[in-house]
Amino acid sequence: MIIIYLPLILLIAYFVWDRYIRVKLRINYYEKQGIQFPGGFVPFFGSYPKLIKFIEEHKPKQYPIIDFINHTQGSNPPTYTGMLIARQLCLIINRHEPLQDLFITKNKYFDKHPNTGQLVGKTLGDSTLFQKSNELWAKKRKSISSSLYKQKLVQMVETMKDIACETMAEWEKQGELDIVAETANMMMKNILACVFGRQNENPQVQYKENGEIKQVKLGQSIQSNIGKGIEREFQLHLTLFPELYHFYFTKQDKELVFNVDQGKDYIKALIKSKREQFARTGKYEGDDLLTILLQDELFQNDDSMLIDECLTFFAAGAQTTAVSITNFLCYMAQNQQQEEKLRNELKSILKFFGKENKDLINELNMEIIEDFNYLKYCFYESLRIEPPIVVSSSCQVNEDMEMSGVTIKKDEMLLINIHQIHHNSDQWVENEQYIPERFDPSSKYYLTPAGTPRHPTSFIPFIGGKRVCLGKTFAEYAFKTIVPIMMSGRRFRFTNDEHLTSKPHYDALMFKKPEIRMRLEKISKSY
C-alpha cells in the first residue's frame, strides 16, 4: 500500500515546498532587507488575486503592475517592489541606482531570465532578445549588429521613405483616420519590407480564430500571436502549474500553434526561394535583413535561427516605432509651439520641406538626418514620457550580489520599470510634461530639479549594457526619416478636443489599443 501512496505523498510534499515554503522563505529574505510586497501572497496564485481586484476596481490606463505600484506605494515608489507571479518571486526595479550595477559595474553578471522566453518561445523562438548569454548568443548578436550597422541601413531608409510617401497619399484621401491603427499598419509594411524585401511588405497568410480559418496580413498575424503568447501567462492551468508552459493543448493554444506555423512556413518558402535564386545566379539580391543574414556564415544554413531573428526584429521594431510616432504626433497636436519650432528646424535644413514629396525624399539621406537635433529631442521625449515598452522583459543576475543596499539572489527574476524610471521626480523636471528641451544640453530642463546632471541610467528606452537593444540605431533612423515626410505640408489634429489636454495612454504592451482619431490639415504656406 505504501508503494501506491508514496508517489502521491511525495508529489504533495513537493507542491507544499515549491508553492508555499520556498516562496515564503524568499519573501522573508527580502522583507528583512526592507522590500515591500504590496500584492501579498496567496499560495499557487501569488499576487494575482490582489492585482486582479485592483484592475477591476481601478481600470488602469496602462500596464497594470505600474499603476498598481503607484497606487500602493505612491508616485515615487521605493527602489524595489516585490511581486509574486504565481510561484515566481519577482523584484521590480523602480529607480536608476541598481542599473548602474546591471549595465555598467557588474554588467557581466546581467542576463535574461527564462520567464519571458517561455511565454513567447513558440512565437519568437530562441532569439537573441530572450536567449541567455553564452558563446552562441555573442556570435549571433555580433552578426546581427553588423547587419544593422549604419551603412547597411541605407537601402532600408530608402524603403521607409517610399512607403511613408505612399502612406501619406492614402491618408490624404481618407482625411480622417485612427492614427493608432494606421501608423501601426504603416510600420508593419515598413519593417516587413526591411526584413524580407519590398515585395514581401505585408503578404496574406492563413489565420485560425474560434475554429474558423481566414486570410490576414502577415504583420497582423505576428502581432496577434505575440499577444496571445503573452496572455498564456493568465490561463488558470498555467498559473497553477507553470511546468506546463511548453505544452499547447487547449483550443486557444492549438490555434496559436497553427497561426505561428503559417507565418513560419511563409518565411521558410521565402528562404528557399532566395537560396534557389542564389544557386541560379551566384548572388543574393536585396538589402533586406533576411538576405543579409543568408550571406552570414553563422546563419546561412540554419533556417530556425534565421526565422527566430527575423520574427523578433519585426516584433520589436514594428510596434515600438509605431507607438513612438503615434505618441509624438499626439504631443505635437497638444503643443503647437513645439511643433512650430520643429517645423522651423526642418525647413531650415530641408529646402524641399513642405513641397513635393518626390523632391523631399530625394533630399532626405543618412547624412542630413544627423542634423535634426530638435527632432531627436522630440523622439527621445516621446520615448521618455510614454516608453513603448513600459516594463522590460524578465532579467536576472548570475551571481548573488549587492545592488543599492539589497543582496539579490542568483537567478531571481527582475523586471525594470522603465516608465517609472522615466518619471522619477528627483531626476526629471516637471516629469509629466512633454518637454523635448530636456535633452538639449543648453536648456535648464537638461538638469535635475536640484540643478545637477541626470544619472545616465535615468533614460533607458533601449535598456543598456550588453543587453542593449540591437534595433536602437534602426529605430532612430526610422523615426527621423518618416516623421519629416509625414509633417511636410500637413498637420495632424485631434477630432476629439478632449485629447488636447488628456490623450489616451498608448504603449506596445497594451492588449487593447486605444482609438485616437486625427484629421490631416493641409498647410497653405510653404512649410
Side-chain angles (χ1 to χ4, degrees), residues 458-476:
S458 62
F459 180 63
I460 52 161
F462 302 103
I463 304 298
K466 68 181 182 181
R467 306 297 308 211
V468 67
C469 176
L470 284 170
K472 176 182 178 181
T473 302
F474 177 90
E476 186 161 342

Side-chain angles (χ1 to χ4, degrees), residues 143-154 156 366 470 473 477:
S143 293
I144 296 168
S145 181
S146 64
S147 300
L148 296 174
Y149 184 66
K150 180 180 175 181
Q151 297 307 314
K152 296 285 183 71
L153 293 177
V154 172
M156 293 185 188
M366 300 280 282
L470 284 170
T473 302
Y477 275 105

Side-chain angles (χ1 to χ4, degrees), residues 106-132:
K106 300 174 183 176
N107 187 236
K108 67 178 180 179
Y109 301 109
F110 178 42
D111 214 335
K112 285 291 179 178
H113 187 278
N115 188 72
T116 306
Q118 288 178 344
L119 285 174
V120 297
K122 180 62 68 176
T123 307
L124 300 178
D126 193 23
S127 69
T128 52
L129 182 59
F130 304 110
Q131 183 181 1
K132 291 193 70 171

Side-chain angles (χ1 to χ4, degrees), residues 75-139:
S75 59
N76 286 296
T79 303
Y80 298 97
T81 297
M83 295 287 287
L84 279 301
I85 313 297
R87 64 187 281 272
Q88 180 70 59
L89 188 145
C90 173
L91 298 179
I92 299 167
I93 300 173
N94 302 311
R95 291 191 51 80
H96 60 274
E97 288 89 352
L99 305 183
Q100 173 75 22
D101 288 326
L102 281 183
F103 299 163
I104 304 171
T105 58
K106 300 174 183 176
N107 187 236
K108 67 178 180 179
Y109 301 109
F110 178 42
D111 214 335
K112 285 291 179 178
H113 187 278
N115 188 72
T116 306
Q118 288 178 344
L119 285 174
V120 297
K122 180 62 68 176
T123 307
L124 300 178
D126 193 23
S127 69
T128 52
L129 182 59
F130 304 110
Q131 183 181 1
K132 291 193 70 171
S133 304
N134 55 29
E135 185 177 352
L136 176 60
W137 169 83
K139 289 179 178 179

